[in-house]
Amino acid sequence: MAATATSDKYWRLVQTLEDITRNPPTELLQDDSLRTRLLRALQGVVPEIEKPNDTTQRVLYSALTNMAAMIGVQSHTFEILSSSKTPLTTEELSQQIGAEPAMLERLLKFLASLSMVKEVDMSLWSASKISGTLANPGIAAGIFHNHVTLGPVWQAFPSFLEKTKYQTMSDPRTCVFSDSHDGQALFDWFEQNPINARFFNAWMTQQRFGQAQWLDGFPFQDIVGKGSDATKPLFVDVGGGIGHQCQALLSRFPDLAGRVVLQDQPSVLAEALQIEGVESVPLDFFTEQPVPDWPGDKCQIILSHLKKAMSLDSILLIDEMVVPTNGANKISMQIDMTIYVSCGAGERTEKQWNEVLNAAGFRIESVWAYHDELNDSIIVALPQ
């Protein structure tokens, strides 16, 4: 009886999960804390209950997921299905894409097995929830960046670790990316590969879309905006990419006094958003422009230039993930690995941030977390 009762309990759990799959309840989708906890529980249970062959299939073929997404983006399959009001046959899709029907059907079945499209009936297809997500231009740019720009880097990473005896390589010109790109650092390589740079910038902007922003958890007006002078710089976003932080600030506080300045490399500023009230100033890495994710010795150079430019009442705001001392989640570590292979840099714990900033003559005044899952935070630092 006990075994039967236990079995019944898990069958009811399976039925509940199948019901959620068919029709996700609104209250679950709107409760982000509950939704995140359920996702973590589901992801955590997989390696605990799968058999060795399940694990083998999941791990060995994980690279095919990004490859499949790239095929769906490149062929415009996600875009076409997402914009269609009715399901499309393989023949109809093949005419729009210009593909052989047999080859396309084979690919569609693969995409459907990953829930990237829906197989409505035999040779009949519609968009899934994932189709709509991956059809987004910013997310499609991220797929391109990860598959085309970083694909060779991921492939080279294990051999690179063997070659370097598993030592930390903290220079952008000796990291995994440069080792697989004739010694060129990522941003130098972007100068010669503007299409890749464009996709990278679009992806960097997209990552912030729909998520908690720094201004949601940081009292900017109280700490920075008080008594600002319209003739002086109020906010200088150094290494600010195409300007999404400047845009967010002016959208939230359109009447702030003071100049808003965006600083980055000329090739990045060429792709910057056109934002009224934002001044664009080109700067060069390691002579004037900081990127906090860079390794410790590079951060010392970066922070020293910043400190020289700061006045007595200046405040340094660092918008970065603060990695937990233990129990960091998968997304945090994916980002950390990406930064390491790309630039020889990485994310930091609060203790590591303290060490880096103290060595450069700063002290942490406060840390304001604004993204619960990733622990994205605003670190407020003052010169010592």
Side-chain angles (χ1 to χ4, degrees):
M1 289 294 293
T4 302
T6 301
S7 179
D8 288 346
K9 180 176 73 172
Y10 290 118
W11 276 114
R12 288 194 298 273
L13 173 62
V14 170
Q15 185 174 3
T16 298
L17 293 174
E18 289 174 343
D19 290 343
I20 292 173
T21 301
R22 283 189 291 270
N23 186 25
T26 302
E27 59 267 29
L28 173 61
L29 298 177
Q30 291 179 344
D31 187 336
D32 210 48
S33 177
L34 177 60
R35 183 191 64 81
T36 300
R37 186 172 176 182
L38 176 59
L39 277 174
R40 287 182 178 174
L42 291 171
Q43 291 162 357
V45 80
V46 169
E48 301 304 324
I49 68 171
E50 64 185 2
K51 292 185 175 181
N53 186 59
D54 300 323
T55 303
T56 302
Q57 291 290 321
R58 177 172 59 84
V59 173
L60 261 61
Y61 296 104
S62 60
L64 271 62
T65 302
N66 192 54
M67 180 201 73
M70 185 65 190
I71 291 169
V73 167
Q74 192 170 252
S75 65
H76 303 287
T77 297
F78 301 141
E79 183 183 346
I80 293 168
L81 287 177
S82 297
S83 61
S84 178
K85 295 180 180 178
T86 59
L88 298 175
T89 65
T90 303
E91 187 67 38
E92 289 170 329
L93 267 172
S94 70
Q95 290 174 5
Q96 294 193 51
I97 293 170
E100 177 198 41
M103 185 69 242
L104 181 59
E105 179 136 332
R106 189 176 194 173
L107 293 171
L108 288 166
K109 284 183 176 294
F110 180 47
L111 293 174
S113 74
L114 297 169
S115 301
M116 291 185 181
V117 302
K118 281 185 180 178
E119 189 171 14
V120 179
D121 206 339
M122 185 182 296
S123 299
L124 189 65
W125 314 91
S126 68
S128 66
K129 185 177 181 181
I130 293 179
S131 304
T133 299
L134 301 184
N136 178 295
I139 293 172
I143 293 167
F144 179 97
H145 174 67
N146 209 300
H147 185 80
V148 177
T149 302
L150 293 185
V153 183
W154 295 124
Q155 289 288 326
F157 192 21
S159 298
F160 180 85
L161 288 170
E162 285 286 313
K163 183 171 70 175
T164 58
K165 308 298 183 186
Y166 291 84
Q167 303 299 302
T168 300
M169 305 302 287
S170 57
D171 190 307
R173 288 167 180 80
T174 59
C175 70
V176 191
F177 183 92
S178 61
D179 189 68
S180 56
H181 288 78
D182 300 321
Q184 285 188 297
L186 175 66
F187 291 99
D188 294 336
W189 185 83
F190 275 156
E191 293 279 351
Q192 300 169 22
N193 294 270
I195 293 175
N196 299 69
R198 192 174 303 125
F199 281 117
F200 170 78
N201 289 326
W203 170 230
M204 290 299 100
T205 301
Q206 177 62 41
Q207 287 188 87
R208 298 280 181 175
F209 184 77
Q211 297 194 41
Q213 301 292 313
W214 66 289
L215 292 167
D216 296 329
F218 175 67
F220 183 89
Q221 284 184 303
D222 293 337
I223 294 178
V224 181
K226 278 186 177 179
S228 54
D229 185 334
T231 65
K232 295 180 179 178
L234 169 69
F235 179 73
V236 181
D237 193 3
V238 191
I242 63 174
H244 57 272
Q245 300 285 43
C246 295
Q247 184 181 57
L249 178 68
L250 290 177
S251 296
R252 185 74 61 94
F253 305 115
D255 299 323
L256 278 175
R259 294 158 52 205
V260 175
V261 181
L262 171 65
Q263 296 181 337
D264 214 307
Q265 296 182 95
S267 60
V268 176
L269 294 181
E271 302 291 332
L273 302 170
Q274 299 301 307
I275 310 165
E276 185 177 352
V278 174
E279 304 171 33
S280 294
V281 178
L283 289 179
D284 186 24
F285 276 170
F286 306 120
T287 56
E288 298 163 285
Q289 174 180 286
V291 181
D293 280 328
W294 288 106
D297 58 335
K298 300 295 186 293
C299 271
Q300 303 311 312
I301 299 170
I302 286 164
L303 290 167
S304 68
H305 289 302
L306 267 182
K307 194 176 181 184
K308 289 175 185 175
M310 294 173 70
S311 63
L312 292 175
D313 59 349
S314 293
I315 300 171
L316 175 63
L317 305 180
I318 300 175
D319 182 4
E320 282 295 331
M321 181 191 303
V322 179
V323 179
T325 304
N326 50 39
N329 64 40
K330 178 182 176 181
I331 298 175
S332 300
M333 297 320 298
Q334 285 176 169
I335 294 170
D336 180 69
M337 285 290 99
T338 302
I339 295 169
Y340 180 71
V341 300
S342 301
C343 305
E347 303 293 355
R348 292 182 172 88
T349 63
E350 185 170 344
K351 179 177 180 291
Q352 290 169 328
W353 274 117
N354 261 308
E355 291 169 351
V356 167
L357 287 164
N358 288 343
F362 289 89
R363 62 177 176 82
I364 293 181
E365 175 75 7
S366 56
V367 179
W368 300 78
Y370 64 86
H371 192 298
D372 291 338
E373 185 176 9
L374 296 181
N375 208 33
D376 284 336
S377 305
I378 295 297
I379 301 169
V380 180
L382 301 175
Q384 295 192 103

